[in-house]
Amino acid sequence: MIIKSYEVKKNKSNFQKNNFFLLYGENLGLKKDIKDFITTEIKQQNNSAETLSLYESEVLDNEDIFFNLIYSGSLFSKTKIITIYETSDKIVKKLNDTYNKYPEDVFLIFFSDILEKKSKLRNFFEKNTKTVCVPCYLDSEIDLEKIAQ
């Protein structure tokens, strides 16, 4: 499912129904703000949520660590929020495996640069029902004018 960046705060219900989020584009500040908003919404439901961060290269180099983070329990919290930075099409196979097993209390947030329309990662998030895809592009002059008014 695709959600425009300005609609994220209006559609809070998406964060209770979906566990997989892709934030892509060139606007790093907007991606960070949306990630913080998603994390805050999840922590409001479960205030003991554990937050973890990885890079795609770490996931690809040692997939056992990645799957252990997702599927093993935690002593401190029931819910996990895992952010994976610098993602590309290389991670789609592992993402698909995780999606098929669908861990209930694990939320995955993927950060990526600009993705082409043909990108496997982008297509995965746009076509699956339990995923959210948020493009984060730089503001145009028209957008800035609307904000200023």
Side-chain angles (χ1 to χ4, degrees):
M1 166 184 354
I2 302 171
I3 296 179
K4 304 277 187 212
S5 59
Y6 58 86
E7 295 175 334
V8 169
K9 293 182 181 177
K10 295 177 189 174
N11 296 325
K12 291 182 181 181
S13 63
N14 287 323
F15 307 121
Q16 288 120 17
K17 293 185 286 187
N18 302 302
N19 290 27
F20 294 80
F21 303 91
L22 172 65
L23 309 175
Y24 73 92
E26 54 206 6
N27 194 335
L28 295 175
L30 182 58
K31 288 191 288 192
K32 182 187 177 306
D33 289 345
I34 293 171
K35 180 192 83 98
D36 292 344
F37 180 75
I38 292 169
T39 304
T40 303
E41 287 297 314
I42 294 167
K43 285 185 176 182
Q44 282 181 353
Q45 295 170 8
N46 184 349
N47 56 2
S48 66
E50 183 180 0
T51 307
L52 305 162
S53 297
L54 295 168
Y55 284 89
E56 179 187 59
S57 59
E58 294 173 311
V59 173
L60 296 175
D61 290 345
N62 194 344
E63 66 183 52
D64 290 338
I65 291 174
F66 175 64
F67 290 122
N68 283 338
L69 281 175
I70 292 173
Y71 298 114
S72 66
S74 174
L75 296 173
F76 305 108
S77 66
K78 182 181 171 190
T79 305
K80 292 181 186 179
I81 303 167
I82 302 173
T83 305
I84 302 173
Y85 294 96
E86 298 177 3
T87 56
S88 66
D89 288 346
K90 295 175 187 174
I91 201 166
V92 172
K93 183 181 180 310
K94 288 171 186 39
L95 175 61
N96 199 24
D97 294 342
T98 306
Y99 180 81
N100 290 333
K101 294 176 185 171
Y102 201 72
E104 293 282 327
D105 294 326
V106 176
F107 295 86
L108 296 170
I109 303 171
F110 295 86
F111 268 63
S112 185
D113 289 330
I114 299 171
L115 295 174
E116 297 293 323
K117 187 73 175 159
K118 296 183 244 176
S119 166
K120 293 177 186 176
L121 182 63
R122 182 174 167 180
N123 286 330
F124 178 86
F125 276 90
E126 288 177 353
K127 292 183 178 164
N128 286 306
T129 56
K130 297 177 185 174
T131 60
V132 174
C133 181
V134 183
C136 300
Y137 296 113
L138 295 176
D139 295 327
S140 67
E141 287 184 30
I142 297 168
D143 295 335
L144 294 173
E145 189 176 311
K146 288 178 185 176
I147 293 169
Q149 289 178 349

